[in-house]
Amino acid sequence: MAYDLEEQEQLATLKAWWAKYGNAATWVVVAGLAAYSGWTGWNYYQRTQSAEASALYDELRNAAGKDNAKVQRAAADIESRYGSTLYAQLGALTAAKAAFDAKDNKAAKAQLQWVIEHGSDEYKAMAKVRLAGVLLDEKAYDEALKTLSGDIPAQFAASVNDRKGDILAAQQKLAEARTAYQAALDKTDKKSPARQLIELKFEAVGGVVPEEKPAA
């Protein structure tokens, strides 16, 4: 079909623009398509990973309390294949408890250490408190205190100081234990069920819990 004069001028302008910028424009489009494809592909991959990890985690939970060896295998599988998912952290914590209940401290410590090295800040803090408890049972006091060092999310300050108090009390370092328990009480809500136990331990090492003032 023949072009009229105006169409020919537009076509000439387009050809000139394409000669100058066409190659770069093509790369921009290709890059954009690649980025979009990569983004959708990554989302699909993440969803698939999460679904598969969830199925393994359910298997792990069902075995907890029944078959420690199966729990440990499932946890190791999740960690190796889906280590970036939340299920890996939950699986490791569940596997640690299963191992501890089965008196397999070595496996319990390994699972908790995995969370400390690979987990988010909140799960790392939880794992540190639990690992320090296992080490306390083994009388590895210095190692237990070392485990609790470093930055801890504010919401775990009470748990960390409470555990420090337990370790220091076991070492008969009563003044230091009182300081730790006091710090735990300062960070524990007065309505928390955990507060009464901390108060009992605080008093056991010579601390004095102030009497509650009656409401006006």
Side-chain angles (χ1 to χ4, degrees):
M1 179 183 294
Y3 296 99
D4 61 25
L5 183 59
E6 183 178 356
E7 288 176 328
Q8 289 181 37
E9 289 177 349
Q10 291 175 343
L11 184 58
T13 300
L14 179 58
K15 286 180 177 179
W17 182 90
W18 186 259
K20 188 173 183 179
Y21 301 110
N23 192 46
T26 300
W27 280 109
V28 170
V29 172
V30 170
L33 289 173
Y36 176 75
S37 176
W39 180 75
T40 54
W42 174 250
N43 281 344
Y44 173 77
Y45 173 78
Q46 289 287 77
R47 289 195 301 271
T48 302
Q49 289 276 294
S50 183
E52 292 174 355
S54 174
L56 269 177
Y57 178 63
D58 286 342
E59 180 182 323
L60 182 154
R61 287 178 56 194
N62 291 334
K66 304 170 188 175
D67 188 341
N68 179 51
K70 185 175 181 179
V71 170
Q72 301 310 315
R73 287 196 301 271
D77 200 8
I78 299 174
E79 290 158 14
S80 64
R81 296 169 58 190
Y82 312 106
S84 62
T85 67
L86 176 62
Y87 294 106
Q89 299 173 62
L90 293 172
L93 290 172
T94 303
K97 185 180 185 306
F100 182 76
D101 291 343
K103 303 188 184 324
D104 184 358
N105 281 9
K106 182 178 179 180
K109 289 188 291 185
Q111 293 292 352
L112 292 170
Q113 189 61 44
W114 188 92
V115 179
I116 292 170
E117 293 174 0
H118 300 92
S120 62
D121 289 344
E122 290 77 11
Y123 285 99
K124 283 180 182 179
M126 192 182 302
K128 283 185 175 185
V129 172
R130 293 183 183 180
L131 179 56
V134 176
L135 293 168
L136 170 60
D137 285 348
E138 294 181 341
K139 301 186 182 343
Y141 304 127
D142 291 339
E143 189 178 352
L145 287 172
K146 184 179 179 180
T147 296
L148 296 173
S149 63
D151 295 333
I152 295 290
Q155 64 267 38
F156 287 92
S159 297
V160 168
N161 281 294
D162 180 34
R163 183 68 81 216
K164 284 181 179 178
D166 295 343
I167 298 164
L168 292 164
Q171 292 178 291
Q172 294 300 307
K173 297 179 179 179
L174 303 187
E176 294 177 60
R178 286 194 294 272
T179 299
Y181 285 135
Q182 183 63 67
L185 287 171
D186 291 343
K187 296 293 184 179
T188 304
D189 190 281
K190 292 185 178 180
K191 296 180 181 180
S192 171
R195 187 177 181 86
Q196 187 174 4
L197 177 57
I198 300 173
E199 288 178 347
L200 288 172
K201 291 188 288 187
F202 182 48
E203 291 175 336
V205 295
V208 178
V209 178
E211 291 186 10
E212 286 286 331
K213 294 180 180 180

